Amino acid sequence: MISITGLGAISAAGRNIAETLDSFSLNRRTAGPVTLFDTPLKYPVFEVKGIPDKYNLEGQRTLSLALCAIDAALKDAALDDLSSYRVGVCLGTTVASQLNDLEFYKSYRTTGSAPMTSVDRYLKGNLAEFISHRIKAKGPALTVVNACSSGTDAIGVALSWLNNGLCDIAVAGGADELNRVPLCGFGSLGIVSMDPCAPFDRDRKGLNLGEGAGVVVLETKESAGKRGIISDLFLAGYGSSSDAYHLTAPHPEGTGLKASIEKSLSDAGIQPHDVSFINAHGTATHDNDLVEGNVLANIFGTGLKMLSTKGFTGHTLGAAGGLEAVFTTAGLREGWIPASTGFENKDDAIPLIPVREKTNIAGRYAVSTSLAFGGNNAAIVIGRM
Amino acid sequence: MNILGIGIVFSRGRGIDCFEKALQEGWRAPSEVEIKGKKSFAYQVDPQTISDKTLLKKMRRADKLSRMAVLAAADALNNSGIEITNKKIGIITSTAFGAHVTTFDFLNDILDHGEANVSPTTFSNSVHNAAASYVSSALDIEGPTLTVTQFFFSFHSALQLAQVWLDEKRCDYILVGAVEQYGDVLGYIYDSKLKQASDGRIRPFNFTPAYHVPGEGAVFFLVSKEDPENAYCKVEDIKIRHSREGGNPALRQAQGDNIVQADLNIIDTDGMLSDESVYMSTVSPHIPTAAYSPLFGSMMIGSAFNCTAGALMLKKQFYYANPVMDNPRGIHLINNARCANIELIRCIRYSCHSEKAAIYLRKNH
């Protein structure tokens, strides 16, 4: 049994869990124009406003977001000093893995030389390595770069580490900043909406990009017990599968997603009817929501309580799986989930209707799903005793 | 777990036979490259090597990084002789710099055409997991497919995770590998940070100063719990010891950081650290030492290539001579190729923080 003993999150929905739950409860969302860099692109985005100063690292926004979420998660887990524990760090990202500094490259291209400042930041900024050094963790460290399922996959890897004795505690999730390269890239694919996103809605026009970090502290029952920590929340299962189909489009039948959900349920030893709600990937692109909605209906039935939280956060890419794991866990803990904001009209091609308002939930299990570029699919099952 | 098949793409060709030939023939000068008017060297993969028209037919738009990965992964499967239909197969790809060449192509797009007029194809190929995705679709593998990145130990971490996935029966087989591409920007960064060998010859036993020559390529292993007769060797253990573990004996014991008497130490010296004298602490007068980086070049994922040499030596029970034997410190080296009884090989890598990783390869019985 792998307990969840700490949660930390920062996104446009809030700089901590309390602010996030307020936003969820009030159905408040804050999409606006890009202010972090100059761009002619007018897509609305979900930026994080006011990262606390103590976490700000110049030119390393992804790391700043990660530090903020991790600090909160470790405090939530009552972990001040990690020196006595084997702590693994497994984090997903997309932006922090790439050397894509435009000014550096422009200088190199034009003059044949460029200052090494951004290169140094990049070389010192591998997400998991950096965090592991920063928090003085004494266990495995790994950065997962599986595009939009990175955060969920990172949590799955940490689960495997813990179940196989590589560490006793793991800090897992994802972090990503809003960055020019994915903004241009997703724009070029024609899947970014000029309006605030509307996951699963009949009239959805695409995703909005966001940024943030979401982290869970996972711990073996023995480790938590030794520390005197009692948590009734646990990570019950993980499944991952590839579509083996296309670089950017999901398999029309959602074969990989179906397989990953089924694997996560079998890992958890539960049946679909045991699941009280799903925090879906729900990007608000036409293809993702169509495929995902149908797969979920097929496995769980049309009466499933389901939502996408991307209406509050935008699509935070490598952070999405981490944030949504935190939101799913918080939903189980609090006993309610927010409205799937942005949804108004049922799409007849999707047999499911996301929850339209703040909804009480009573069950013991919930699932969070992620679909990614490259045809990666991942699902985790979170439980409450 | 056991290594059942190996696929490799490097500057001297494609396939394990090609790599064995390079081990037998020894060092050859790398190709000359020019970085912004300055002459330099790099171990580059010839486009002809990755011009396969069957496997890559459906991936005409894939970049060099993805092509090298797909061919190495496919060759690892073929080399194993395993029929994969209806088997649970996973893919774990490791890289340090990923699709940086394509990322810079995308930045060219932004600079040349503006942010609203960039190529979606270039963008989707610049995503770090594109190579693994192509492996999955080219080989029709629907199991877990993961890409991981670190600068020094990404291959070790990938191999460690493969072991865990096999232990928990998440997969029956795993294609675990490493891939890296050379590009002029990376060459410029290396030249700015490290000393390049002016004659193109990496001297792995010089230690300080250490000279690099950038390389590129891909290695994939098919690993499994199965132990067929044609397996290369067993991966007995993967240890990664972080500097933060310091002198805490309990933690070190927990990590299993004990000294093992191997028959051969293969060290990852290739000039990717400006001072590699930390490796002196691992060499022994009683155990021969080898380093094969002069055959494939300097790479953060060089361990995968050195492990390939180790796996071949265990399978063939044969020592391949060091390709470059400049030996100012009088280390006990393998000076000539010869048959040998080899039970255990230790492949060692250090990071710039003096963190150490070791992969232990043992002869199959």
Side-chain angles (χ1 to χ4, degrees), chain A residues 240-311:
Chain A
S240 167
S241 247
S242 173
D243 284 342
Y245 174 70
H246 192 269
L247 194 56
T248 56
H251 190 287
E253 306 299 322
T255 51
L257 177 62
K258 185 168 181 282
S260 66
I261 292 170
E262 287 172 348
K263 171 62 181 161
S264 71
L265 296 177
S266 87
D267 235 24
I270 63 171
Q271 299 297 318
H273 61 76
D274 294 318
V275 173
S276 58
F277 73 94
I278 305 254
N279 190 342
H281 190 59
T283 56
T285 63
H286 177 269
D287 288 356
N288 179 92
D289 292 6
L290 180 66
V291 170
E292 188 176 20
N294 277 281
V295 167
L296 294 179
N298 181 263
I299 296 176
F300 296 98
T302 53
L304 173 73
K305 285 178 183 167
M306 181 266 280
L307 79 160
S308 164
T309 46
K310 287 189 172 65

Side-chain angles (χ1 to χ4, degrees), chain B residues 79-277:
Chain B
N79 185 239
S80 73
I82 299 287
E83 174 52 57
I84 62 167
T85 311
N86 298 325
K87 304 273 173 57
K88 288 193 294 181
I89 304 186
I91 301 166
I92 307 176
T93 305
S94 61
T95 181
F97 295 101
H100 62 93
V101 175
T102 306
T103 299
F104 293 127
D105 283 347
F106 190 70
L107 297 187
N108 279 332
D109 257 15
I110 292 176
L111 292 169
D112 293 338
H113 307 299
E115 295 186 22
N117 299 296
V118 292
S119 157
T121 304
T122 308
F123 173 65
S124 47
N125 278 280
S126 76
V127 178
H128 249 62
N129 67 330
S133 167
Y134 279 121
V135 172
S136 154
S137 55
L139 304 181
D140 201 21
I141 292 173
E142 296 179 351
T145 300
L146 199 70
T147 303
V148 300
T149 181
Q150 277 179 313
F151 287 118
F152 280 93
F153 301 143
S154 61
F155 177 66
H156 302 77
S157 297
L159 207 55
Q160 195 173 51
L161 184 61
Q163 174 77 68
V164 167
W165 278 5
L166 292 172
D167 286 346
E168 63 185 13
K169 298 185 171 55
R170 195 166 288 276
C171 300
D172 300 323
Y173 303 91
I174 296 170
L175 277 166
V176 55
V179 60
E180 214 69 84
Q181 184 178 1
Y182 172 78
D184 64 326
V185 187
L186 193 61
Y188 169 73
I189 292 168
Y190 281 171
D191 278 358
S192 304
K193 298 270 173 199
L194 302 163
K195 289 189 181 70
Q196 159 116 195
S198 57
D199 57 357
R201 185 188 291 254
I202 297 168
R203 292 173 171 78
F205 309 110
N206 221 47
F207 296 145
T208 179
Y211 298 103
H212 82 283
V213 179
E216 66 178 359
V219 172
F220 269 84
F221 294 163
L222 183 74
V223 294
S224 169
K225 292 276 197 186
E226 288 180 7
D227 187 12
E229 266 190 29
N230 65 341
Y232 282 83
C233 62
K234 178 182 181 184
V235 180
E236 184 162 275
D237 210 347
I238 307 113
K239 301 290 186 200
I240 306 171
R241 189 165 71 79
H242 302 284
S243 57
R244 302 174 295 286
E245 284 153 26
N248 184 329
L251 281 167
R252 288 182 61 166
Q253 195 174 11
Q255 292 284 332
D257 185 35
N258 50 338
I259 301 297
V260 174
Q261 286 296 311
D263 296 304
L264 173 68
N265 285 323
I266 303 180
I267 57 175
D268 278 354
T269 42
D270 59 2
M272 295 304 282
L273 297 177
S274 54
D275 181 348
E276 295 180 323
S277 48

